[in-house]
mmCIF file with all atom_site columns, all heavy atoms in Angstrom:
data_model
loop_
_atom_site.group_PDB
_atom_site.id
_atom_site.type_symbol
_atom_site.label_atom_id
_atom_site.label_alt_id
_atom_site.label_comp_id
_atom_site.label_asym_id
_atom_site.label_entity_id
_atom_site.label_seq_id
_atom_site.pdbx_PDB_ins_code
_atom_site.Cartn_x
_atom_site.Cartn_y
_atom_site.Cartn_z
_atom_site.occupancy
_atom_site.B_iso_or_equiv
_atom_site.pdbx_formal_charge
_atom_site.auth_seq_id
_atom_site.auth_comp_id
_atom_site.auth_asym_id
_atom_site.auth_atom_id
_atom_site.pdbx_PDB_model_num
ATOM 1  N N   . VAL A 1 269 ? 12.688 7.578  22.625 1.00 97.00 ? 269 VAL A N   1
ATOM 2  C CA  . VAL A 1 269 ? 12.563 8.984  22.996 1.00 97.00 ? 269 VAL A CA  1
ATOM 3  C C   . VAL A 1 269 ? 12.181 9.758  21.741 1.00 97.00 ? 269 VAL A C   1
ATOM 4  O O   . VAL A 1 269 ? 12.902 9.728  20.737 1.00 97.00 ? 269 VAL A O   1
ATOM 5  C CB  . VAL A 1 269 ? 13.862 9.543  23.594 1.00 97.00 ? 269 VAL A CB  1
ATOM 6  C CG1 . VAL A 1 269 ? 13.644 10.967 24.108 1.00 97.00 ? 269 VAL A CG1 1
ATOM 7  C CG2 . VAL A 1 269 ? 14.361 8.654  24.725 1.00 97.00 ? 269 VAL A CG2 1
ATOM 8  N N   . ALA A 1 270 ? 11.029 10.437 21.784 1.00 95.00 ? 270 ALA A N   1
ATOM 9  C CA  . ALA A 1 270 ? 10.527 11.118 20.592 1.00 95.00 ? 270 ALA A CA  1
ATOM 10 C C   . ALA A 1 270 ? 9.872  12.436 20.975 1.00 95.00 ? 270 ALA A C   1
ATOM 11 O O   . ALA A 1 270 ? 9.551  12.669 22.141 1.00 95.00 ? 270 ALA A O   1
ATOM 12 C CB  . ALA A 1 270 ? 9.535  10.223 19.855 1.00 95.00 ? 270 ALA A CB  1
ATOM 13 N N   . GLY A 1 271 ? 9.656  13.301 19.978 1.00 92.00 ? 271 GLY A N   1
ATOM 14 C CA  . GLY A 1 271 ? 9.145  14.642 20.225 1.00 92.00 ? 271 GLY A CA  1
ATOM 15 C C   . GLY A 1 271 ? 10.278 15.647 20.113 1.00 92.00 ? 271 GLY A C   1
ATOM 16 O O   . GLY A 1 271 ? 11.464 15.289 20.130 1.00 92.00 ? 271 GLY A O   1
ATOM 17 N N   . GLY A 1 272 ? 9.939  16.917 20.000 1.00 90.00 ? 272 GLY A N   1
ATOM 18 C CA  . GLY A 1 272 ? 10.931 17.957 19.745 1.00 90.00 ? 272 GLY A CA  1
ATOM 19 C C   . GLY A 1 272 ? 12.081 18.009 20.724 1.00 90.00 ? 272 GLY A C   1
ATOM 20 O O   . GLY A 1 272 ? 13.238 18.226 20.334 1.00 90.00 ? 272 GLY A O   1
ATOM 21 N N   . VAL A 1 273 ? 11.810 17.803 22.017 1.00 93.00 ? 273 VAL A N   1
ATOM 22 C CA  . VAL A 1 273 ? 12.865 17.897 23.035 1.00 93.00 ? 273 VAL A CA  1
ATOM 23 C C   . VAL A 1 273 ? 13.830 16.715 22.934 1.00 93.00 ? 273 VAL A C   1
ATOM 24 O O   . VAL A 1 273 ? 14.945 16.766 23.452 1.00 93.00 ? 273 VAL A O   1
ATOM 25 C CB  . VAL A 1 273 ? 12.247 18.001 24.442 1.00 93.00 ? 273 VAL A CB  1
ATOM 26 C CG1 . VAL A 1 273 ? 13.314 18.139 25.523 1.00 93.00 ? 273 VAL A CG1 1
ATOM 27 C CG2 . VAL A 1 273 ? 11.302 19.206 24.515 1.00 93.00 ? 273 VAL A CG2 1
ATOM 28 N N   . SER A 1 274 ? 13.438 15.651 22.239 1.00 94.00 ? 274 SER A N   1
ATOM 29 C CA  . SER A 1 274 ? 14.328 14.491 22.104 1.00 94.00 ? 274 SER A CA  1
ATOM 30 C C   . SER A 1 274 ? 15.598 14.840 21.342 1.00 94.00 ? 274 SER A C   1
ATOM 31 O O   . SER A 1 274 ? 16.580 14.094 21.384 1.00 94.00 ? 274 SER A O   1
ATOM 32 C CB  . SER A 1 274 ? 13.603 13.339 21.403 1.00 94.00 ? 274 SER A CB  1
ATOM 33 O OG  . SER A 1 274 ? 13.359 13.639 20.043 1.00 94.00 ? 274 SER A OG  1
ATOM 34 N N   . ALA A 1 275 ? 15.602 15.975 20.637 1.00 92.00 ? 275 ALA A N   1
ATOM 35 C CA  . ALA A 1 275 ? 16.798 16.403 19.904 1.00 92.00 ? 275 ALA A CA  1
ATOM 36 C C   . ALA A 1 275 ? 17.824 17.062 20.815 1.00 92.00 ? 275 ALA A C   1
ATOM 37 O O   . ALA A 1 275 ? 18.958 17.319 20.380 1.00 92.00 ? 275 ALA A O   1
ATOM 38 C CB  . ALA A 1 275 ? 16.402 17.374 18.790 1.00 92.00 ? 275 ALA A CB  1
ATOM 39 N N   . ASN A 1 276 ? 17.473 17.326 22.077 1.00 95.00 ? 276 ASN A N   1
ATOM 40 C CA  . ASN A 1 276 ? 18.383 18.003 22.999 1.00 95.00 ? 276 ASN A CA  1
ATOM 41 C C   . ASN A 1 276 ? 19.651 17.174 23.218 1.00 95.00 ? 276 ASN A C   1
ATOM 42 O O   . ASN A 1 276 ? 19.582 16.011 23.638 1.00 95.00 ? 276 ASN A O   1
ATOM 43 C CB  . ASN A 1 276 ? 17.673 18.264 24.324 1.00 95.00 ? 276 ASN A CB  1
ATOM 44 C CG  . ASN A 1 276 ? 18.543 19.004 25.319 1.00 95.00 ? 276 ASN A CG  1
ATOM 45 O OD1 . ASN A 1 276 ? 19.333 18.406 26.032 1.00 95.00 ? 276 ASN A OD1 1
ATOM 46 N ND2 . ASN A 1 276 ? 18.370 20.321 25.386 1.00 95.00 ? 276 ASN A ND2 1
ATOM 47 N N   . ARG A 1 277 ? 20.789 17.761 22.936 1.00 95.00 ? 277 ARG A N   1
ATOM 48 C CA  . ARG A 1 277 ? 22.054 17.027 23.013 1.00 95.00 ? 277 ARG A CA  1
ATOM 49 C C   . ARG A 1 277 ? 22.366 16.559 24.428 1.00 95.00 ? 277 ARG A C   1
ATOM 50 O O   . ARG A 1 277 ? 22.807 15.418 24.635 1.00 95.00 ? 277 ARG A O   1
ATOM 51 C CB  . ARG A 1 277 ? 23.193 17.921 22.504 1.00 95.00 ? 277 ARG A CB  1
ATOM 52 C CG  . ARG A 1 277 ? 24.571 17.253 22.512 1.00 95.00 ? 277 ARG A CG  1
ATOM 53 C CD  . ARG A 1 277 ? 25.643 18.223 22.068 1.00 95.00 ? 277 ARG A CD  1
ATOM 54 N NE  . ARG A 1 277 ? 25.723 19.377 22.953 1.00 95.00 ? 277 ARG A NE  1
ATOM 55 C CZ  . ARG A 1 277 ? 26.389 19.381 24.120 1.00 95.00 ? 277 ARG A CZ  1
ATOM 56 N NH1 . ARG A 1 277 ? 27.022 18.283 24.527 1.00 95.00 ? 277 ARG A NH1 1
ATOM 57 N NH2 . ARG A 1 277 ? 26.440 20.465 24.856 1.00 95.00 ? 277 ARG A NH2 1
#
Side-chain angles (χ1 to χ4, degrees):
V269 186
V273 182
S274 69
N276 182 276
R277 181 183 61 82

